[in-house]
């Protein structure tokens, strides 16, 4: 018997045994991923006493670059050991955005926020876990809380500009699909960042990722 056929027979036999022991379950899939959010850049020449931008300059064509990534964190809700990874990350891409050209970014992992997803945890150590589609699972069905977020990192801010939020933003935006990335230009940067010399080299202000949570 060929190795592939032998493996199929073993797995089939295992499935039959597990059906008899109640080990087989039905798993439910995670959120759908057909959606996107927009990165919208704004350039401002002034700052008010509360450090908010004023004096918009909508005619400024300067492009900015953003690296967009996704993060999925997982918390198993079942009481038995699993090999489900606690976190998975990946890059969506590098995007160039200006006030003249907005960019739509696909939410490749689905809607942000918390979701309960069933994982099929297999009994064979070398198999690990499998992310299920709806339906049959030869293994334990383990409900898992998945938290999906999208992160934006500023890349190489041009000379003469600085971001409004060097440390990034962590906020929930309701009823919108737009992420506003605001930049100051010129003297306003010196007000926001004392000692600014025309370049934004991060230094102690090196940003965290911006966590985008758009429902």
């Amino acid at each position: 018997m060929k190795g592939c056929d032998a493996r199929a027979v073993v797995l089939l036999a295992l499935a039959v045994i597990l059906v008899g022991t109640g080990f087989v379950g039905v798993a439910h899939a995670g959120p759908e991923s057909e959606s996107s959010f927009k990165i919208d850049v704004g350039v401002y020449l002034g700052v008010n006493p509360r450090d908010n931008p004023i004096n918009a300059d909508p005619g400024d064509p300067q492009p900015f670059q953003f690296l967009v990534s996704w993060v999925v964190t997982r918390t198993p809700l079942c009481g038995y050991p699993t090999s489900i990874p606690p976190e998975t990350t990946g890059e969506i891409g590098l995007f160039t955005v200006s006030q003249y050209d907005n960019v739509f970014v696909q939410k490749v992992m689905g809607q942000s926020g918390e979701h309960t997803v069933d994982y099929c945890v297999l009994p064979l150590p070398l198999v690990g876990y499998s992310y299920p589609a709806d339906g049959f699972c030869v293994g334990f069905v383990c409900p898992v809380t998945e938290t999906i977020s999208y992160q934006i990192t500023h890349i190489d801010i041009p000379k003469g500009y600085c971001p409004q939020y060097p440390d990034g933003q962590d906020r929930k935006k309701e009823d919108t699909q737009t992420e506003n990335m605001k930049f100051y230009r010129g003297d306003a940067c010196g007000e926001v960042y004392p000692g600014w010399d025309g370049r934004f080299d991060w230094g102690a202000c090196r940003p965290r990722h911006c966590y985008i949570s758009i429902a």
Side-chain angles (χ1 to χ4, degrees), residues 4-26:
C4 184
D5 294 336
R7 183 179 178 185
V9 170
V10 170
L11 291 177
L12 179 60
L14 178 61
V16 172
I17 294 172
L18 294 176
V19 168
T21 60
F23 189 70
V24 174
V26 176

Side-chain angles (χ1 to χ4, degrees), residues 15-185:
V16 172
I17 294 172
L18 294 176
V19 168
T21 60
F23 189 70
V24 174
V26 176
H28 301 281
E32 295 182 359
S33 60
E34 296 300 322
S35 56
S36 62
F37 64 88
K38 182 174 71 170
I39 299 178
D40 187 7
V41 163
V43 177
Y44 298 83
L45 301 177
V47 56
N48 70 13
R50 295 187 177 184
D51 290 335
N52 291 319
I54 57 175
N55 301 330
D57 184 10
D60 189 328
Q62 175 63 51
F64 299 87
Q65 287 191 313
F66 304 96
L67 178 65
V68 184
S69 305
W70 55 265
V71 177
V72 178
T73 57
R74 302 178 182 86
T75 303
L77 303 178
C78 53
Y80 44 82
T82 74
S83 56
I84 297 172
E87 182 177 284
T88 306
T89 64
E91 291 185 1
I92 299 177
L94 184 65
F95 297 87
T96 299
V97 188
S98 73
Q99 293 191 117
Y100 292 167
D101 296 298
N102 297 322
V103 169
F104 285 87
V105 179
Q106 192 71 19
K107 291 194 276 187
V108 298
M109 299 305 291
Q111 297 286 44
S112 57
E114 288 191 356
H115 313 271
T116 299
V117 181
D118 286 342
Y119 277 73
C120 181
V121 180
L122 304 179
L124 304 177
L126 296 180
V127 174
Y129 78 98
S130 63
Y131 187 94
D134 285 337
F136 196 69
C137 167
V138 180
F140 291 108
V141 175
C142 179
V144 174
T145 297
E146 284 191 345
T147 303
I148 298 172
S149 63
Y150 296 90
Q151 302 180 346
I152 295 179
T153 303
H154 306 119
I155 302 294
D156 297 329
I157 292 178
K159 182 178 179 180
Y161 296 83
C162 61
Q164 180 188 11
Y165 298 108
D167 291 327
Q169 301 174 69
D170 186 357
R171 61 183 178 175
K172 175 78 172 180
K173 301 182 71 177
E174 301 291 350
D175 300 323
T176 181
Q177 299 293 322
T178 301
E179 179 58 25
N180 296 307
M181 307 301 286
K182 299 178 181 178
F183 292 87
Y184 295 110
R185 189 183 81 216

